[in-house]
Structures are given as C-alpha cells and as structure tokens.
Amino acid sequence: MTPSLDTFRITDVHIHIQPWKDLKPGPLEAMRRGKEKHWDFLMQLMEDPKLLISVLDKSGVWRVGLVNYVSPDVMGFTDSTNTFVAKYAAAYPERLLPYGGVHPNYSKNPAADVDRLVGMGIRLLKIHPSHMMFPANAYTDGLAGLAAIYKQCEARGLPIMVHTGTSIFPGARSKWGNPMELDDVAIDFPDLQIVMAHGGRPLWMDEAFFILRRHKNVWLDVSGIPPLKLLEYFPRLAEMADRVLWGTDWPSPGVKDLRQNIEQFLSVALSDEHRRAILESNALRLFPAGDFA
Ligand SMILES: [Zn+2]
C-alpha cells in the first residue's frame, strides 16, 4: 500500500520563487509558455508568501527551498534577487528557506558577499553554470572569484546548489550542465556541501550518479525529473538514498503540481525507509529545523 503523504514532514528543496518581474523578454516568454492560464496567480505568488504557504498547506509540504541566483546576462536577475528572497522568506522562517547567489564576474568582493548573504539569513548559495556563463569548475581555469565563493561557503557552512542538466531558456549554455565538473569542486572543497540539482537530466545521469557515489559531500536533488521515471533515470537510487533530496522545480516549465509529484513519487518502488529519507530526514540534516534565527 502506498503511504499517505500526510505522514511525512516534507521538504521540497527546489522551487522557484523569484522576482519574475526582472526577467528579460526571452526568458519571460519561455517561463510563461504553457502557464498562460495561471500566470496572474503565479505573478501574485512571487510577491505574497502567505499565498505560497496556502499552496504548501494544500499540497502537504512543510518546507520549501526558494531558488534564486544572479544571472544578469541570460535571465535578468541581479544582486537584488537576494534582498527579494530574504524578505519573502522572513515572513515564515521555519518553512521558507531562502537561497541566494553571488556572481563572480559581478561581485567586487565575493567572500564578503557570501558573508553578507549569511547575515541576511540565506540558507544556500545557488550556482547556475548554464545561466551564469561559466562551468562550475571555472576557478581551475582562472576564475578566482569562484574559488573565493566556494571557499567562503565552505568556511561558513553554507551549502551550495549547482544546476546540472540542460536548460531551455534562450541564451542558456547547456554544455556547462555536465555534472563531471563537480568532481573538481568536491575534491578541492571537501567540507563544502554540494547539492547537485536535477541529476544531469536528461543527458548526464551516469555522470551524476558517479559524482554522487564518489563524493560524500555531494547530494542529489531530484527536481525536474518526472517522479514516475525516477528509477528509469537512476536505477540504483536506493543505494544512495541517504543523500537524495526531494525537489520538484515547481513552477518551472513542465512541473504543474507539488502534490501530484509527491503522490507519484510515493508510488515508485522504494522502501518506506528510503521514502522517508528522501522526503524528510535528509533535508533535515542539510537544513536543520529551527536553525533560522
Ligand atoms: Zn530549478
């Protein structure tokens, strides 16, 4: 029998609450496609944490990670995305985990900017190589600001999340979605907690699974993978269940409903113990509850 979703304290580590009003015309158009009917609601959602909480309550979700990052060139998001998300999450600090970003090419002092984010209550720093125009290991090729960011996150205990896999937004460089670049990062910053978003989908699942097995400081966030196909994408997922995190990528293109995704996940052939690890306990290790003051 499939367990009821209400028996879990679910953390969805990957949803998008972002200042969509800042999107450049191309990405805005791509974001809106297929969501025309709900667009006004979604735009309202980006301004109203109370509305988000009502969605979470209806969906049986306890906490969510609010993905934000700086991508002036491709998406249009600037440093103001950090103040946006910090303010949004402050309304419900136990349930909303604000994620922010520093762009090494736009920051005058990356380490100080990481400190500033920590001071604002940001819980994770997102790196989106395909939208920030450099590979995740670009510090091995001269991008010193990126090493400074990783080093400071490691020192401050701030986890990072790195997008892996393709991206459909105009201007995005999908070639930098290959998870193998995290091999360098995981080795060079051994105490940095690295969340590998999307498991390299739909092109690089083998690489992603290798990185996950190889490095104890890497976590897999399954967002963006259709839950019913999860074991097709990662047949040996159960072996690594203690470092797999639940995520949906809602309301990104193709992800319609938080609750439906969870219900589908619960029908996948995994043990109850592994379901609980993925939906609840792993995220509590990475983001302890009550650790938000
Ligand atoms: Zn995402």
Side-chain angles (χ1 to χ4, degrees):
M1 203 187 89
T2 303
S4 146
L5 135 182
D6 306 313
T7 61
F8 300 100
R9 288 189 104 191
I10 297 171
T11 301
D12 181 331
V13 301
H14 194 133
I15 75 165
H16 287 270
I17 294 292
Q18 293 168 295
W20 279 0
K21 57 179 173 32
D22 295 343
L23 282 167
K24 293 168 84 162
L28 179 69
E29 180 53 37
M31 196 68 97
R32 201 164 182 268
R33 208 170 298 141
K35 303 198 209 45
E36 291 81 358
K37 275 194 207 146
H38 318 287
W39 188 250
D40 289 345
F41 173 78
L42 290 175
M43 287 304 282
Q44 224 185 314
L45 190 70
M46 300 303 155
E47 306 296 332
D48 185 358
K50 201 168 163 213
L51 192 56
L52 175 63
I53 291 292
S54 73
V55 172
L56 300 187
D57 288 343
K58 264 187 247 150
S59 309
V61 175
W62 172 41
R63 304 190 299 176
V64 281
L66 312 177
V67 175
N68 277 272
Y69 53 95
V70 177
S71 168
D73 311 298
V74 175
M75 301 297 278
F77 299 128
T78 66
D79 180 64
S80 68
T81 195
N82 293 312
T83 36
F84 162 86
V85 74
K87 184 167 172 247
Y88 191 100
Y92 298 90
E94 191 197 3
R95 299 184 64 185
L96 306 181
L97 311 170
Y99 300 173
V102 177
H103 196 306
N105 291 335
Y106 289 85
S107 167
K108 290 193 185 85
N109 187 338
D113 278 341
V114 170
D115 286 340
R116 180 172 54 95
L117 262 51
V118 172
M120 289 163 72
I122 296 294
R123 301 287 296 270
L124 172 148
L125 183 140
K126 169 86 185 260
I127 297 284
H128 201 312
S130 309
H131 294 180
M132 293 169 83
M133 311 300 269
F134 55 78
N137 62 351
Y139 65 88
T140 61
D141 200 21
L143 188 59
L146 185 58
I149 290 169
Y150 291 153
K151 197 166 164 246
Q152 198 64 7
C153 287
E154 186 181 38
R156 299 298 308 265
L158 188 68
I160 66 162
M161 174 184 280
V162 180
H163 174 98
T164 63
T166 55
S167 169
I168 54 120
F169 290 101
R173 309 294 162 119
S174 286
K175 66 177 177 182
W176 288 324
N178 191 328
M180 280 311 286
E181 282 146 5
L182 294 179
D183 198 36
D184 283 332
V185 186
I187 292 167
D188 295 335
F189 305 92
D191 294 324
L192 179 64
Q193 299 304 310
I194 302 167
V195 179
M196 178 171 55
H198 319 306
R201 59 129 236 129
L203 301 180
W204 296 292
M205 283 76 77
D206 287 346
E207 288 84 344
F209 200 70
F210 169 80
I211 292 293
L212 184 67
R213 288 176 61 222
R214 171 91 178 80
H215 301 293
K216 295 210 171 358
N217 53 334
V218 174
W219 307 68
L220 168 66
D221 137 23
V222 298
S223 65
I225 299 168
L228 294 175
K229 295 204 167 158
L230 193 53
L231 295 185
E232 234 172 82
Y233 276 73
F234 293 103
R236 294 166 63 193
L237 191 79
E239 285 175 35
M240 299 306 302
D242 64 336
R243 273 189 278 121
V244 177
L245 299 162
W246 177 247
T248 56
D249 213 19
W250 180 80
S252 279
V255 186
K256 290 205 176 64
D257 187 79
L258 290 172
R259 188 177 185 108
Q260 188 186 51
N261 272 43
I262 298 164
E263 280 168 351
Q264 289 178 350
F265 171 74
L266 289 175
S267 74
V268 166
L270 288 166
S271 69
D272 278 351
E273 185 197 338
H274 289 157
R275 287 171 176 152
R276 186 166 299 278
I278 293 168
L279 291 171
E280 179 178 303
S281 27
N282 294 343
L284 275 165
R285 265 162 47 223
L286 191 63
F287 301 114
D291 190 21
F292 48 80

